[in-house]
Amino acid sequence: MPYITVLLNRKGGVGKSLISVNLAAVYAEILGCGEDDPTVAVVSIDPQATSVEHADAVRKAGRPVPFRVVNAKNNVDQLRKLRRAKADIIIVDTPGFMPLEEGEEDAGPSIDPLGDGTVGDSLRAVLDAADDVIVPLPAAGAAFRSTKTTIERVLIPRQIPYGVVVYWDPRDSEADRDRTQSLVRRQGWDMYNTTIRHYKPHTRGITTGRLCTQYEPNPIALKAKADFQSLALEHQMRRQKRAGGQ
Ligand SMILES: Nc1ncnc2c1ncn2[C@@H]1O[C@H](COP(=O)(O)OP(=O)(O)OP(=O)(O)O)[C@@H](O)[C@H]1O
Ligand SMILES: [Mg+2]
């Protein structure tokens, strides 16, 4: 049976797609996967399909994509059978879901923040199948309220194990990262010790057609890749800890 991890944050542009493909890339490298190997898969339910586009760019640049990429937008029936898919690790890339109307953030439980329609149904299907969720939270920007809705209105009621991953820019001070992490702790949210730093090779990955395992071997690129290796390790340690506690 596959282990299913969903990248989720109601806010767009927080790094869900970037984390999906690069976490899959380091898992594939650690596990020695080749092209068309079903061990690791990225499933995209995002109508914009950024992770699919990224993988296409890598292939177009003549480089291998060592994991399967499935564009499952609008395919709710397929998503409901995700637990039966042939893979060991599935990483699901989701869209930032529709904003609630003004004032609805604090509305009662009668409003489902996942919304109606195919996107809402796809999100519900993958969350029903999820073993855990990674919630990216940028230190800069205005993602705090959407993160709160994601965690408190979507994940906690479903009792899905999750961890916030803080995303920060090392060109700003570490104080930004520390402030965001202490804000998360004060909320009582579960958080990864690993953080993802903002680096140019990541931003350019989709245009240069590279995954973090394929960046030029310079010190910045190695740091950029190292964050994803740490994330993979911590992800597996959390999984093991939960399995041991059951
Ligand atoms: N660690 C990082 N370093 C550098 N650039 C990053 C990093 N994470 C994300 N980005 C850039 O930020 C932008 C948004 O990232 P991404 O597309 O992964 O967000 P998203 O949450 O998937 O957005 P959406 O909800 O619209 O799908 C992209 O241009 C991406 O390359
Ligand atoms: Mg995306």
Side-chain angles (χ1 to χ4, degrees):
M1 231 180 5
Y3 189 85
I4 301 173
T5 296
V6 176
L7 267 294
L8 192 77
N9 194 320
R10 200 172 150 220
K11 175 109 180 145
V14 296
K16 297 182 290 287
S17 300
L18 190 101
I19 294 175
S20 300
V21 292
N22 286 309
L23 185 58
V26 295
Y27 272 133
E29 185 174 78
I30 291 163
L31 298 169
C33 302
E35 263 194 291
D36 300 324
D37 190 325
T39 308
V40 181
V42 170
V43 172
S44 168
I45 64 166
D46 182 359
Q48 284 185 68
T50 312
S51 41
V52 179
E53 193 190 324
H54 196 146
D56 286 344
V58 171
R59 282 194 207 95
K60 245 181 230 148
R63 282 180 270 272
V65 176
F67 48 84
R68 264 197 309 157
V69 183
V70 182
N71 190 347
K73 72 163 182 168
N74 302 334
N75 204 336
V76 181
D77 288 340
Q78 187 189 9
L79 293 168
R80 290 198 177 114
K81 292 184 228 144
L82 201 57
R83 294 220 68 83
R84 283 185 255 156
K86 194 170 174 288
D88 291 343
I89 298 175
I90 296 179
I91 298 167
V92 184
D93 183 21
T94 66
F97 37 103
M98 298 306 265
L100 297 177
E101 295 298 320
E102 190 67 30
E104 286 182 346
E105 288 269 5
D106 304 316
S110 56
I111 296 174
D112 183 348
L114 298 177
D116 303 324
T118 312
V119 169
D121 288 344
S122 301
L123 285 165
R124 278 182 283 275
V126 296
L127 289 172
D128 283 348
D131 289 293
D132 67 19
V133 169
I134 292 175
V135 183
L137 172 60
F144 190 76
R145 281 179 71 83
S146 345
T147 304
K148 190 174 170 69
T149 308
T150 306
I151 294 172
E152 295 181 359
R153 300 277 307 272
V154 179
L155 298 175
I156 292 177
R158 286 178 168 79
Q159 297 183 310
I160 304 174
Y162 71 91
V164 172
V165 172
V166 172
Y167 160 46
W168 63 290
D169 192 333
R171 289 170 303 187
D172 303 335
S173 75
E174 289 182 357
D176 262 6
R177 176 200 61 192
D178 297 347
R179 190 182 33 78
T180 308
Q181 287 191 312
S182 63
L183 199 61
V184 170
R185 276 190 209 101
R186 278 206 302 280
Q187 296 292 316
W189 297 340
D190 199 351
M191 181 174 59
Y192 278 76
N193 185 46
T194 301
T195 61
I196 300 292
R197 289 168 290 184
H198 178 99
Y199 286 123
K200 287 226 172 77
H202 286 322
T203 323
R204 293 195 195 114
I206 204 156
T207 43
T208 58
R210 287 177 199 272
L211 299 163
C212 71
T213 46
Q214 300 165 332
Y215 294 159
E216 303 283 1
N218 60 49
I220 291 293
L222 291 175
K223 283 193 204 174
K225 176 181 169 185
D227 285 348
F228 284 98
Q229 291 170 316
S230 300
L231 183 62
L233 184 59
E234 192 177 352
H235 185 221
Q236 289 305 311
M237 289 175 83
R238 283 169 163 253
R239 171 184 179 178
Q240 202 177 34
K241 198 167 161 192
R242 277 200 308 275
Q246 273 165 10

